Amino acid sequence: FKCFRAHGLIIKDGTKMSKSRGNVVTPDTFIAKYGADCFRTYLMFLGPYTLGGDFQDKGITGVRRFYDRIYRLACTGNLSTISLEDKKLITLLHKTVRDVTKHIQNLEYNTAIAFMMEFLNEINRQDIVYKEAVEILVRLIEPFAPHLSEELWEMLGYKESIFTAGWPEWDESKIVFDTFELVAQVNGKIRAAMEAPMDISSEDAIALATSHTNVQRFIEGKPIRKTIYVPGKLVNIVV
């Protein structure tokens, strides 16, 4: 709370909080209801550290749900101890550690939290819930939720404090995506987006884009004057 007090919170009508205006939010009520970890994280999630953020009472529930989902994963008792097998999850794991680390160092706490939420979503999409992935996530939330992460660390079977575990490391060589989102444009306007392999050729990328149902709606019956492929990004079809 102290870090945002210095820069000022903004309430939902755009007014800056201050004692002189009598609109200061007392944290005690939120801490009693949601816990100090949740309230602290919500303040970090409001916006960039140097700018403060738009404080809304209901916004904290999203952070609470985020921590509730992690808690449920840690206490399920059926976490898989086998090594990570899913390539997408491995890539996202290393990317998340890298991005969270760098954004914390740059005081961009809100962005770091967003990356952790994305990582949690991918963990939940897996058929197997990997203990290794959950442990990494618990270590990442530690600066934001020290009390919760300590409890979760114990639930995961560790006797020593999470503060002795150290910060997770990433392997840059594993942050390599096999696919990318190919954007299809017609006359410069986005008409579709689809997944494409990173090594797709120009001809195949154009064929994939032109075969999309929504793209077909805008080019059907019209002569294609030109096709432009920007590798790893988009195909623009000029009719």
Side-chain angles (χ1 to χ4, degrees):
F1 180 69
K2 181 170 62 177
C3 68
F4 266 82
R5 180 185 296 163
H7 300 287
L9 290 168
I10 306 298
I11 56 179
K12 56 188 175 182
D13 65 358
T15 306
K16 188 173 183 179
M17 288 184 181
S18 69
K19 289 183 179 179
S20 63
R21 291 187 174 92
N23 60 0
V24 175
V25 173
T26 303
D28 299 11
T29 303
F30 294 94
I31 292 174
K33 185 174 182 179
Y34 299 103
D37 283 349
C38 190
F39 184 63
R40 180 189 302 106
T41 304
Y42 176 52
L43 292 181
M44 298 297 99
F45 194 46
L46 285 176
Y49 169 81
T50 55
L51 299 179
D54 180 13
F55 189 91
Q56 299 186 39
D57 293 1
K58 296 181 180 179
I60 194 172
T61 57
V63 174
R64 178 58 184 265
R65 287 194 297 270
F66 170 59
Y67 282 147
D68 283 346
R69 291 169 66 195
I70 299 176
Y71 190 92
R72 286 194 294 269
L73 283 178
C75 68
T76 54
N78 60 350
L79 298 178
S80 175
T81 56
I82 64 175
S83 299
L84 292 178
E85 297 179 343
D86 185 85
K87 280 188 175 182
K88 184 177 181 181
L89 183 61
I90 293 173
T91 297
L92 188 59
L93 184 151
H94 288 273
K95 181 179 182 298
T96 301
V97 174
R98 181 195 67 184
D99 292 345
V100 169
T101 302
K102 292 183 177 180
H103 284 291
I104 287 178
Q105 292 172 341
N106 293 331
L107 306 184
E108 298 165 342
Y109 305 123
N110 57 321
T111 308
I113 295 167
F115 277 117
M116 290 189 287
M117 289 178 171
E118 180 187 353
F119 183 46
L120 175 61
N121 289 336
E122 185 58 36
I123 291 175
N124 281 320
R125 279 192 287 264
Q126 300 291 312
D127 295 330
I128 300 174
V129 180
Y130 295 95
K131 184 180 180 183
E132 180 183 349
V134 176
E135 288 179 353
I136 291 292
L137 184 56
V138 171
R139 290 165 68 186
L140 290 176
I141 68 170
E142 182 268 317
F144 303 91
H147 304 94
L148 176 62
S149 60
E150 187 75 73
E151 180 179 350
L152 295 178
W153 198 242
E154 182 178 343
M155 291 170 60
L156 290 169
Y158 293 94
K159 297 186 181 300
E160 72 280 8
S161 171
I162 191 172
F163 299 101
T164 66
W167 188 250
E169 297 181 353
W170 74 89
D171 185 344
E172 196 70 34
S173 67
K174 293 184 178 179
I175 307 177
V176 180
F177 289 93
D178 295 330
T179 61
F180 70 98
E181 184 179 66
L182 176 67
V183 174
Q185 298 179 339
V186 177
N187 293 336
K189 294 184 179 180
I190 298 175
R191 298 305 183 186
M194 62 218 75
E195 193 171 273
M198 287 297 297
D199 59 352
I200 192 170
S201 66
S202 174
E203 293 78 11
D204 289 342
I206 293 171
L208 181 63
T210 54
S211 65
H212 193 281
T213 305
N214 199 47
V215 173
Q216 285 286 324
R217 291 176 50 214
F218 294 93
I219 65 174
E220 188 174 6
K222 301 176 182 178
I224 297 177
R225 296 164 51 198
K226 184 193 300 184
T227 53
I228 304 169
Y229 174 53
V230 180
K233 292 184 179 181
L234 61 87
V235 170
N236 184 27
I237 305 165
V238 181
V239 295

